[in-house]
Amino acid sequence: MAEAAEPNLAAAKGHPSDLGAADGHHEVLVSAEQLRERVAALGAEINRDYAGRQPLLVGVLKGAVLFLADLMRELEVPCEIDFIVCSSYGSSTDSSGVLRVLKDVDVSIEGRDVLVVDDIIDSGLTLQYLMKSLRARKPRTLEACVLLTKPERRRVDLPIRYVGFEIPNRFAIGYGLDHGQRYRNLPYIALLAE
Ligand code: IMP
Ligand code: MG
């Protein structure tokens, strides 16, 4: 009979997808440890702010999947999750702000405490559009929690309640963020090699 795997700390430090970093191809921007600490801190803030309430976390697929999964494990307030999928008509590295919602939330958000969870804000156009569309449905409160932000690239003034890290104007991959659908599985955030 196969035995349950023993956690192997030495092996857990490496990751098959780490090869790029080990090769010096991708520079690590935010380590797994830094992610854990910051996500825990954001979770603690959300627990305080939403005490006595039952927020609906709306994850923006696909990029927010790892962040949402880790963030919700830090929450002690009762919460629900749902997902939204949208596609931008822009190019792969530049969003146009013209969006199509491919999958909407499954439930009515009227009167709910909605917290949109997204991976990264670049121009801000995607989130601005999403927030506008959700706000029209009369949630009780509507806030955003974003893991990464690139302040230099912001084109719209968008108040974001919870922000993980401010990063430079470079293309980030890992921890949900992709380049051509790859690298989402990296357990850290790295800069895409030029
Ligand atoms: P915005 O509408 O310009 O704010 O673009 C936001 C979306 O563009 C994010 O949700 C990501 O899907 C994508 N994006 C922007 N910058 C990056 C990056 O550095 N790495 C991966 N995806 C990015
Ligand atoms: Mg996204």
Side-chain angles (χ1 to χ4, degrees):
M1 200 167 74
E3 282 190 18
E6 284 281 314
N8 178 342
L9 291 182
K13 279 190 192 153
H15 186 272
S17 298
D18 243 351
L19 282 173
D23 283 346
H25 290 149
H26 301 308
E27 188 186 331
V28 176
L29 189 63
V30 186
S31 70
E33 183 56 33
Q34 288 174 308
L35 285 169
R36 263 192 300 277
E37 275 177 21
R38 188 70 189 120
V39 171
L42 289 171
E45 243 183 276
I46 293 168
N47 283 326
R48 274 196 304 276
D49 296 349
Y50 287 83
R53 294 193 264 159
Q54 187 166 328
L56 173 68
L57 309 182
V58 175
V60 184
L61 289 178
K62 303 168 190 170
V65 115
L66 272 69
F67 178 40
L68 176 65
D70 285 342
L71 182 68
M72 67 189 288
R73 272 178 273 211
E74 299 293 336
L75 298 190
E76 286 151 13
V77 290
C79 66
E80 294 172 37
I81 61 167
D82 208 329
F83 295 97
I84 247 178
V85 181
C86 49
S87 90
S88 164
Y89 285 110
S91 71
S92 62
T93 52
D94 237 328
S95 81
S96 59
V98 183
L99 288 198
R100 210 157 33 121
V101 173
L102 302 177
K103 185 228 167 282
D104 209 335
V105 287
D106 295 331
V107 296
S108 163
I109 61 166
E110 189 174 341
R112 299 292 311 263
D113 291 302
V114 175
L115 180 60
V116 175
V117 179
D118 205 354
D119 53 357
I120 185 166
I121 308 203
D122 190 37
S123 68
L125 291 166
T126 305
L127 196 63
Q128 184 186 50
Y129 175 93
L130 267 183
M131 297 292 272
K132 192 175 162 205
S133 146
L134 292 171
R135 193 171 294 116
R137 300 179 218 172
K138 305 198 167 22
R140 197 173 90 86
T141 60
L142 180 64
E143 301 289 352
C145 177
V146 176
L147 180 67
L148 306 173
T149 180
K150 291 180 190 170
E152 277 175 60
R153 296 263 303 175
R154 189 68 35 81
R155 283 168 56 191
V156 294
D157 184 28
L158 195 63
I160 298 154
R161 182 69 177 265
Y162 309 97
V163 177
F165 299 91
E166 287 193 356
I167 64 166
N169 182 14
R170 295 277 306 276
F171 200 82
I173 52 170
Y175 198 64
L177 290 111
D178 75 305
H179 181 250
Q181 298 304 323
R182 281 188 59 203
Y183 309 116
R184 293 192 197 276
N185 57 319
L186 294 177
Y188 49 81
I189 307 279
L191 292 175
L192 184 70
E194 304 283 336

